[in-house]
Amino acid sequence: MIGFAAEFHKLIEPIDEGALDDWGYAFRPIRGQTEKLSNHASGSAIDLNAPKHPLNAIGTFPPEKVPMLKALAKKYGLRWGGDYLHRKDEMHFEIDLMPEKASALIIKLGLKHEI
């Protein structure tokens, strides 16, 4: 997540310094539900520049940045909330790999790997 956020900051848009608009771990259900936990509850999701990309909003990123955004998400094994079929969530990125594949990707990217 940190590697993704660093590249997002550099290539997509700055992650605001000092603003409390980038969110990670939060033990809570999926918004609008009571039973199913959010991926934020496991620490496997992050929201970046949330007020700029509100829930249910479409087209909050410049169209020319979207291909790079999707490529970065794929590079890090993430799913982008802007690709959701229902209830778009363009601020949201979540790990979209099984643990074994996530470990292999971490090694491939040369990132710190501890189990």
Side-chain angles (χ1 to χ4, degrees):
M1 291 290 199
I2 293 170
F4 170 78
E7 288 200 58
F8 178 96
H9 175 80
K10 181 179 176 184
L11 300 171
I12 306 301
E13 65 185 26
I15 296 172
D16 299 330
E17 296 178 15
L20 300 176
D21 63 353
D22 306 304
W23 308 323
Y25 174 79
F27 191 80
R28 63 170 178 78
I30 294 172
R31 300 275 185 228
Q33 295 189 24
T34 57
E35 301 293 321
K36 190 172 180 182
L37 289 175
S38 163
N39 283 340
H40 290 280
S42 65
S44 61
I46 189 170
D47 294 338
L48 298 176
N49 293 333
K52 292 181 182 178
H53 312 288
L55 185 63
N56 286 321
I58 298 171
T60 63
F61 287 96
E64 66 274 9
K65 295 282 186 171
V66 172
M68 176 61 75
L69 179 82
K70 289 183 177 195
L72 281 177
K74 183 177 180 178
K75 174 182 176 179
Y76 286 94
L78 304 178
R79 181 176 181 206
W80 176 44
D83 285 335
Y84 290 172
L85 295 177
H86 305 287
R87 204 184 76 154
K88 302 290 186 180
D89 195 0
E90 293 191 353
M91 72 177 95
H92 183 85
F93 302 88
E94 63 189 35
I95 295 172
D96 193 32
L97 298 172
M98 297 303 292
E100 302 79 25
K101 288 195 176 201
S103 291
L105 180 59
I106 289 167
I107 292 167
K108 179 181 173 185
L109 292 171
L111 303 172
K112 187 173 181 178
H113 184 255
E114 295 179 17
I115 295 181

